[in-house]
Amino acid sequence: MKRTLITLALCGLCSTATAEPLSAWNDTAAKHAIEEWVQNATNPDRPTFIPTDKRYVVFDNDGTLWPEAPMTFQIQFALDEIKRLAPENPNWSNDPLVQAVLKDDLKSVVGSGEKGLMHLLSLTHSGMTTEDFTQRVANWVSTHKDPRFGCQYDQMGYQPMRQLLDYLRENGFKTWIVSGGGIDFMRVLSQKMYGIPPEQVIGSFALGEFALSGDGTTITKTMSGAFNDDAANKPVAIHLFMGQRPVGAFGNSDGDLAMLQYTAANPDAKTFGLLVHHTDAAREYAYDSHPPASGKLVDGLTQAKSHGWTVVDMKQDWKTVFDPAQCVVKSSP
């Protein structure tokens, strides 16, 4: 009988530990700030209460919910697609940028700048139906792994941020992704990785072409009317897709600054802003003013102080970076 009671007590402690909504966060000021804001926003007896129909929160993706170093997952997908498709496109043999990709000459690829990036995206993100593109992304995710960590890309969402998404939803918040990443690319992964349905994903996009087909209808992806959902375009896209100003914004770079400013200026709520600062070279990457590819964070750190935004020190504030049940990462020496 005594052994049974002890076992039940231990199980009760286990359940309590498991129920901790932010268990991947260290007990630091960042975690306390999140919990305090949520408690104030959900308590109807406090002046800081936010009605549930106003609890819209927005998250950047690259560098905020998953890594963006040494390059974003979508760029890696584009490079891998170039290699996969090259044998089927002999005309690419005269394309110097394609040849640079095939030779793993990343210096030339990076040196081509935004114009070069758009060229690679046009070769790998247009000219196929939306269904075909979705299948290509799904195939890539199931057959490729991150070269440093050896994990599939859909296993590399930051565990603390995934817990934060769950915690907010459990408290009546509606979570959205607002990212510079491609909207069709992210929608393939958002539900599985973050519990965010496709209709709550806002990203960069181009206009498709609708047509009747022999077996129904198709939308073909093009590069026409391309919209880059970054920097000052983020508030524009939030207004277009969401129709109301958020009460919380979560990012990691100066590209998210306008989104945080737009949220902070909400006249109807006590808002919350958060920036993930990449400080952990052992478990992930460390950068701010000189990122490997994207994610520069300089002005955001300065404005965080004046606005009272929370800055998450990845090394100090997170117990884990990735879910150890999905992606086991050995610290660098």
Side-chain angles (χ1 to χ4, degrees), residues 79-87 89 92-93 95-105 109:
L79 299 182
D80 289 338
E81 280 290 277
I82 289 290
K83 294 177 181 179
R84 184 182 71 84
L85 296 169
N89 294 273
W92 288 1
S93 61
D95 189 322
L97 190 55
V98 169
Q99 295 307 306
V101 173
L102 297 178
K103 295 175 183 177
D104 291 322
D105 181 6
V109 174

Side-chain angles (χ1 to χ4, degrees), residues 180 228-236 254-259:
N228 182 21
D229 185 34
D230 193 33
N233 282 344
K234 287 197 172 188
V236 174
D254 289 346
D256 303 316
L257 190 52
M259 180 173 75

Side-chain angles (χ1 to χ4, degrees), residues 140-208:
W140 175 77
V141 170
S142 67
T143 56
H144 289 73
K145 294 183 178 181
D146 179 88
R148 175 184 170 187
F149 299 117
C151 305
Q152 287 188 189
Y153 291 98
D154 60 352
Q155 298 174 330
M156 294 180 62
Y158 298 139
Q159 188 181 29
M161 298 304 285
R162 291 171 65 184
Q163 288 184 347
L164 176 55
L165 287 166
D166 290 339
Y167 176 59
L168 290 170
R169 287 191 290 262
E170 288 167 2
N171 283 278
F173 289 86
K174 190 170 185 177
T175 55
W176 292 69
I177 289 177
V178 181
S179 176
I183 192 169
D184 287 336
F185 182 84
M186 293 186 292
R187 282 176 170 173
V188 179
L189 301 163
S190 64
Q191 181 70 63
K192 176 184 177 182
M193 292 187 67
Y194 311 125
I196 296 178
E199 64 269 20
Q200 288 167 220
V201 175
I202 302 172
S204 297
F205 64 90
L207 301 178

Side-chain angles (χ1 to χ4, degrees), residues 241-308:
F241 285 90
M242 284 176 45
Q244 66 173 300
R245 198 182 296 246
V247 296
F250 304 78
N252 80 293
S253 74
D254 289 346
D256 303 316
L257 190 52
M259 180 173 75
L260 269 77
Q261 293 168 330
Y262 180 64
T263 300
N266 189 328
D268 299 322
K270 174 66 175 177
T271 63
F272 187 81
L274 181 146
L275 285 165
V276 175
H277 190 188
H278 293 261
T279 58
D280 198 331
R283 297 185 300 174
E284 202 246 7
Y285 298 95
Y287 59 90
D288 40 46
S289 59
H290 296 92
S294 60
K296 183 178 181 180
L297 179 61
V298 177
D299 293 341
L301 291 175
T302 300
Q303 294 216 19
K305 296 178 181 178
S306 59
H307 285 282

Side-chain angles (χ1 to χ4, degrees), residues 7-21:
T7 301
L8 289 172
L10 290 175
C11 287
L13 290 173
C14 292
S15 298
T16 301
T18 303
E20 167 57 42

